[in-house]
């Protein structure tokens, strides 16, 4: 089996294939594992350039367990308390705890006992939502709308899962600040909270109920651990080698050809590249009558500083005064947020080894329009927008931020595009209704019997937990297609 791409979906697929007794070769163009969970070393600062929020570590444990290992064998995961700190334009803050009673007390402190009771009802709803969706819609192969039919679809509809996310949260919470805390996660799905299906509230469950963790050594440690477990179990990991094309005979792939012209024979191939790149590699054209809709992008500013600020937690969400208008600006207007809401991650709060002694690392993420819906020359506008973001953060309490910077790197939608990501977004396809479940690109390739897809562009979708599941599902498809081979 050849897996193209050593991102988290590819490594998950490899581990599950190894656990099923298959021989696995992984081809990765970079000289290290991780894919979109990338890395950057700058002047002693060890930067994670991809996802910074780790939830649902049991899915990682499942991948390791396929080869007889566990998360504890490979990683030191630290639960974050609080999971987030939310700061608002009026100066108030909310620490988001995953422990039930502790968060209820925090809500009562901020907004009173009535809202605390509303939070407990919301928490119960989110938990039921997760239980229904995980078993039937997330950790499941959905090849046809008919696969949705069943009692859990009725339960999901009865829970209001096909309504709007923001309204579902509003049924339980009236305080605008708390509504934001439990609905901003819609951005992970590439849709504004007022437009996102309530079913995607399951992401809020992962963040605010199941808990957020951080691995010692940074997020890059996750990919390194998975690659190490795969190598120990017998996988051949070929870093620094790109797949140029696949060799086909009729409706079957017979080999993967690398950029150096080497031929890697295979019985099956799993491609985890960005969706358009995967289709090009497989010489396949999508037959979808309506073009895919891509998620908004992001501008990310990596800052190495010589100081920190008490107001920052590991993850801090800095909300602007505006809310709905700013979503319209990036999704409809093709403009950057005039009053941006920002995710500021300071991993050195938890792991000081990621920066030189006495220094800190900031990851500032600002949602931005993707290249398809905005006419912005990022190579010229990027430096100005960098200065704007820094001035916004200084005005919100990070006094002296600009003067404290000792190393930095700006990443814009143009940079994401140069990395080969369609429309210049790292978040792939938006999770609209027409791109959800069986309506999202599936893990099979029409006309090719032994080629499969995995990654955030396929079902179940974007996010660290879901790409791990997509890798597992791809492995299950391969095993079902072969129906032979000894199990470990």
């Amino acid at each position: 089996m050849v897996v193209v791409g050593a991102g988290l979906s590819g490594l998950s697929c490899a581990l599950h294939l190894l656990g099923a007794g298959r021989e696995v070769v992984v081809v990765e163009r970079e000289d290290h594992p991780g894919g979109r969970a990338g890395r950057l070393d700058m002047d002693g600062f060890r930067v994670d350039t991809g996802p910074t929020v780790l939830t649902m570590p049991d899915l990682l444990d499942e991948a390791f367990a396929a080869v007889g290992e566990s998360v504890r064998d490979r990683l030191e995961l630290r639960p974050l308390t609080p999971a987030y700190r939310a700061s608002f334009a009026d100066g108030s803050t909310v620490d988001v705890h995953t422990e039930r009673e502790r968060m209820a007390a925090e809500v009562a402190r901020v907004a009173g006992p009535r809202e605390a009771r509303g939070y407990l009802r919301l928490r119960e709803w989110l938990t039921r939502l997760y239980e229904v969706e995980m078993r039937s819609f997330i950790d499941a192969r959905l090849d046809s709308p008919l696969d949705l039919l069943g009692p859990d679809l009725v339960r999901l509809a009865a829970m209001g899962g096909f309504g709007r996310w923001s309204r579902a949260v509003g049924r339980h919470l009236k305080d605008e600040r708390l509504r934001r805390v439990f609905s901003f996660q819609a951005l992970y799905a590439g849709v504004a909270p007022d437009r996102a299906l309530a079913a995607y509230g399951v992401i809020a469950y992962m963040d605010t109920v199941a808990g957020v963790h951080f691995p010692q050594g940074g997020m890059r440690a996750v990919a390194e651990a998975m690659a190490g477990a795969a190598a120990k179990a017998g996988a051949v990991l070929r870093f620094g080698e790109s797949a140029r094309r696949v060799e086909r005979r009729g409706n079957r792939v017979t080999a993967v050809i690398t950029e150096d012209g080497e031929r890697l024979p295979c019985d099956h191939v799993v491609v985890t590249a960005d969706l358009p790149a995967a289709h090009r590699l497989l010489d396949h054209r999508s037959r979808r009558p309506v073009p895919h809709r891509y998620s908004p992008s992001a501008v990310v500013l990596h800052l190495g500083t010589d100081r920190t600020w008490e107001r920052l937690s590991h993850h801090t969400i800095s909300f602007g005064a505006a809310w709905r208008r700013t979503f319209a600006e990036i999704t409809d207007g093709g403009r950057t947020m005039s009053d941006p809401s920002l995710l500021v991650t300071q991993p050195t709060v938890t792991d000081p080894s990621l920066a030189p002694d006495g220094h800190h690392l900031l990851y500032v993420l600002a949602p931005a329009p993707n290249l398809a819906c905005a006419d912005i020359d990022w190579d010229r506008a990027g430096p100005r927008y960098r200065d704007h973001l820094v001035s916004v953060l200084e005005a919100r309490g990070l006094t002296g931020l600009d003067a404290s910077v000792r190393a930095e790197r700006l990443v814009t939608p143009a940079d994401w595009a140069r990395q080969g990501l369609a429309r210049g977004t790292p978040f792939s396809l938006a999770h609209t209704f027409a791109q959800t479940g069986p309506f999202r690109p599936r893990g099979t390739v029409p006309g090719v019997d032994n080629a499969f897809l995995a990654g955030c562009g396929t079902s179940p979708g974007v996010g660290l937990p879901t790409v791990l599941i997509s890798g597992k599902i791809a492995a299950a498809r391969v095993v079902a297609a072969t129906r032979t081979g000894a199990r470990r």
Side-chain angles (χ1 to χ4, degrees):
M1 315 300 165
V2 173
V3 177
V4 178
L8 300 186
S9 63
L11 292 171
S12 171
C13 179
L15 289 169
H16 285 287
L17 285 173
L18 290 162
R22 272 51 177 185
E23 296 179 7
V24 178
V25 176
V26 180
V27 180
E28 167 57 48
R29 67 179 181 180
E30 302 294 337
D31 61 3
H32 56 264
R36 297 185 198 216
R39 62 180 65 180
L40 168 68
D41 294 325
M42 56 179 196
D43 299 333
F45 295 91
R46 302 175 67 217
V47 179
D48 290 317
T49 61
T52 62
V53 179
L54 191 153
T55 60
M56 308 301 293
D58 55 306
L59 294 173
L60 268 178
D61 213 26
E62 187 178 14
F64 284 118
V67 293
E69 296 199 37
S70 71
V71 167
R72 290 189 303 274
D73 296 331
R74 294 277 177 176
L75 289 167
E76 181 185 345
L77 295 185
R78 299 184 181 181
L80 299 183
T81 303
Y84 296 95
R85 174 168 294 152
S87 64
F88 299 91
D90 63 2
S92 62
T93 62
V94 177
D95 280 352
V96 181
H97 299 283
T98 54
E99 298 89 349
R100 182 178 185 274
E101 298 306 323
R102 191 170 184 181
M103 186 58 191
E106 177 71 356
V107 172
R109 178 191 70 81
V110 171
R114 179 177 295 181
E115 288 293 87
R117 292 192 292 273
Y119 156 73
L120 293 175
R121 292 193 300 271
L122 175 62
R123 182 186 177 98
E124 181 182 348
W125 180 78
L126 290 173
T127 302
R128 289 189 289 116
L129 191 71
Y130 169 79
E131 292 169 348
V132 167
E133 290 190 41
M134 179 56 79
R135 65 185 174 227
S136 295
F137 306 114
I138 299 176
D139 194 0
R141 285 192 284 175
L142 300 176
D143 294 330
S144 160
L146 296 177
D147 293 333
L148 293 172
L149 300 179
D152 278 339
L153 182 65
V154 177
R155 294 186 183 99
L156 183 61
M159 294 174 63
F162 298 107
R164 297 303 177 194
W165 187 339
S166 58
R167 292 178 187 172
V169 173
R171 285 197 297 268
H172 303 284
L173 298 171
K174 305 306 177 186
D175 187 284
E176 180 63 26
R177 297 166 298 176
L178 296 174
R179 289 186 180 190
R180 293 189 190 186
V181 164
F182 289 97
S183 64
F184 82 89
Q185 296 90 349
L187 284 177
Y188 297 160
V191 186
D194 286 343
R195 299 180 183 177
L197 290 176
Y200 282 107
V202 71
I203 307 173
Y205 167 87
M206 296 176 182
D207 276 4
T208 66
V209 178
V212 178
H213 297 74
F214 187 75
Q216 182 75 12
M219 294 292 286
R220 68 176 69 185
V222 175
E224 291 171 352
M226 295 178 74
K232 182 180 177 182
V236 177
L237 304 174
R238 302 178 62 137
F239 295 113
E241 296 188 25
S242 296
R244 185 177 68 198
R245 65 181 179 87
V246 297
E247 177 185 277
R248 287 172 57 176
R249 184 175 301 159
N251 61 351
R252 293 189 65 81
V253 171
T254 54
V256 172
I257 310 300
T258 70
E259 285 291 350
D260 294 334
E262 185 174 358
R263 183 178 183 273
L264 304 177
C266 61
D267 295 305
H268 290 77
V269 64
V270 178
V271 182
T272 69
D274 199 43
L275 201 59
H279 286 306
R280 287 194 299 270
L281 182 66
L282 293 165
D283 193 23
H284 174 262
R285 291 187 178 182
S286 173
R287 299 175 183 174
R288 184 182 177 90
V290 179
H292 286 127
R293 176 181 170 185
Y294 281 77
S295 297
S297 184
V299 172
V300 178
L301 180 57
H302 301 287
L303 299 174
T305 67
D306 62 8
R307 59 164 294 189
T308 185
W309 294 261
E310 288 187 3
R311 64 174 48 241
L312 292 179
S313 185
H314 186 113
H315 294 299
T316 302
I317 309 163
S318 176
F319 288 105
W323 184 239
R324 293 178 178 84
R325 184 189 79 222
T326 54
F327 292 123
E329 287 171 341
I330 62 173
T331 58
D332 301 328
R335 303 187 301 276
T336 56
M337 289 183 169
S338 56
D339 185 17
S341 292
L342 307 171
L343 171 63
V344 182
T345 295
Q346 186 177 217
T348 44
V349 170
T350 305
D351 185 356
S353 71
L354 299 176
D357 289 344
H359 291 68
H360 286 270
L361 189 57
L362 299 185
Y363 170 110
V364 181
L365 184 148
N370 66 44
L371 296 182
C373 63
D375 184 19
I376 299 174
D377 182 352
W378 281 108
D379 291 333
R380 298 183 61 185
R384 293 195 300 272
Y385 194 57
R386 175 267 182 208
D387 293 342
H388 174 65
L389 292 178
V390 170
S391 66
V392 165
L393 289 171
E394 288 190 328
R396 294 179 185 176
L398 302 193
T399 307
L401 172 60
D402 202 19
S404 75
V405 175
R406 295 295 172 264
E408 67 178 277
R409 178 70 61 88
L410 178 70
V411 183
T412 71
D415 295 311
W416 298 120
R418 280 189 279 266
Q419 293 179 30
L421 300 180
R423 312 300 190 272
T425 175
F427 305 116
S428 192
L429 302 181
H431 284 266
T432 60
F433 179 79
Q435 295 179 169
T436 293
F439 308 113
R440 196 171 182 84
R442 297 189 288 274
T444 56
V445 182
V448 187
D449 292 343
N450 62 336
F452 302 95
L453 303 175
C456 60
T458 64
S459 181
V462 178
L464 193 150
T466 42
V467 299
L468 292 174
I469 291 172
S470 79
K472 181 179 76 168
I473 290 174
R477 291 184 188 278
V478 171
V479 172
T482 57
R483 301 184 186 281
T484 58
R487 289 189 174 273
R488 290 176 183 271

